[in-house]
């Protein structure tokens, strides 16, 4: 159990307090302290997101790449983002259909990667996927701390980021399917 794998497990563990604080703040569990639960949830989400970047850099730099890490790291990312998106649906900050598209894309790509891995093919992340992830993370952060009540333009900016994230989600999926169509045809 090396440091990158410990950081991955830590990221999964952080999902629980993140969701509890985020949904508990929306439900008024923590009193009427304006934005305090959202700011705490945002801090936890950012810390969890940063562990993804840090564990990957450490694993590559010190040659600590393990099968556990290859499996758990992307799964931890998907769990974190999915938990955040589902919580945001419960808070009525994002439409459910947007979340369905985003999570469906993740299931499709995960299935593709499983088929490829079964055939000893490694499919690297594309730039479209990295842009998608960046915009999704920014979108989630903006939706966690909804400042549109203070600044109406913030709501518009959040909607713009959501639409960009959604378009990048679809574009990255199409790009992925086109580049890796041999995986599904069994021509690897």
């Amino acid at each position: 159990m090396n440091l990158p794998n410990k950081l991955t497990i830590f990221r999964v563990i952080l999902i629980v307090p993140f969701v509890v604080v985020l949904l508990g703040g929306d439900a008024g569990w923590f009193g009427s302290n304006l934005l305090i639960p959202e700011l705490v949830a945002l801090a936890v989400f950012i810390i969890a997101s940063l562990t993804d970047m840090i564990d990957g850099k450490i694993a590559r730099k010190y040659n600590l790449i393990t099968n556990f890490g290859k499996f758990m790291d992307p799964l931890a990312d998907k769990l974190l983002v999915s938990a955040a998106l589902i919580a945001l649906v419960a808070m009525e900050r994002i439409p459910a259909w947007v979340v369905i598209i985003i999570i469906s894309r993740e299931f499709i790509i995960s299935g593709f990667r499983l088929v490829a891995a079964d055939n000893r093919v490694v499919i690297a992340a594309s730039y479209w996927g990295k842009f998608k992830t960046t915009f999704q993370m920014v979108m989630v952060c903006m939706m966690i701390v909804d400042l549109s009540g203070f600044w109406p333009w913030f709501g518009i900016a959040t909607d713009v980021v959501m639409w960009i994230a959604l378009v990048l989600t679809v574009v990255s999926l199409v790009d992925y399917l086109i580049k890796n169509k041999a995986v599904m045809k069994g021509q690897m």
Side-chain angles (χ1 to χ4, degrees):
M1 187 54 62
N2 59 34
L3 180 59
N5 291 342
K6 288 177 182 176
L7 288 170
T8 299
I9 290 171
F10 180 62
R11 183 163 63 255
V12 172
I13 291 169
L14 283 178
I15 293 169
V16 174
F18 164 71
V19 171
V20 168
V21 171
L22 184 61
L23 293 179
D26 192 52
W29 295 352
F30 305 108
S32 61
N33 294 327
L34 193 60
L35 287 177
I36 298 298
E38 287 89 351
L39 291 173
V40 171
L42 177 63
V44 173
F45 183 79
I46 289 171
I47 290 167
S49 298
L50 289 175
T51 65
D52 178 36
M53 184 175 60
I54 295 167
D55 69 9
K57 287 186 183 213
I58 293 171
R60 286 185 294 277
K61 183 175 181 177
Y62 296 104
N63 196 25
L64 297 172
I65 297 168
T66 63
N67 286 334
F68 177 84
K70 288 179 190 177
F71 171 74
M72 260 325 272
D73 186 62
L75 182 61
D77 300 341
K78 287 169 184 37
L79 289 172
L80 176 65
V81 173
S82 296
L85 291 172
I86 292 166
L88 291 167
V89 168
M91 298 170 71
E92 299 181 357
R93 295 189 182 177
I94 187 170
W97 66 268
V98 172
V99 174
I100 290 168
I101 290 171
I102 291 171
I103 292 176
S104 296
R105 182 249 184 225
E106 299 306 326
F107 274 105
I108 292 167
I109 299 301
S110 294
F112 240 77
R113 283 200 166 122
L114 284 173
V115 170
D118 193 44
N119 291 294
R120 295 181 173 33
V121 175
V122 176
I123 299 176
S126 71
Y127 286 109
W128 287 112
K130 292 177 183 182
F131 294 142
K132 177 260 323 169
T133 299
T134 300
F135 273 90
Q136 282 180 3
M137 295 297 189
V138 171
M139 173 191 76
V140 167
C141 290
M142 292 174 79
M143 289 181 176
I144 289 170
V145 182
D146 181 14
L147 299 175
S148 58
F150 300 105
W151 299 302
W153 61 266
F154 190 85
I156 295 167
T158 302
D159 287 345
V160 168
V161 171
M162 180 192 76
W163 280 103
I164 293 170
L166 186 62
V167 167
L168 288 172
T169 297
V170 173
V171 167
S172 67
L173 174 63
V174 171
D175 177 64
Y176 199 94
L177 294 175
I178 290 171
K179 287 181 179 174
N180 298 293
K181 60 186 172 206
V183 170
M184 291 311 286
K185 290 182 178 179
Q187 301 171 348
M188 293 155 294

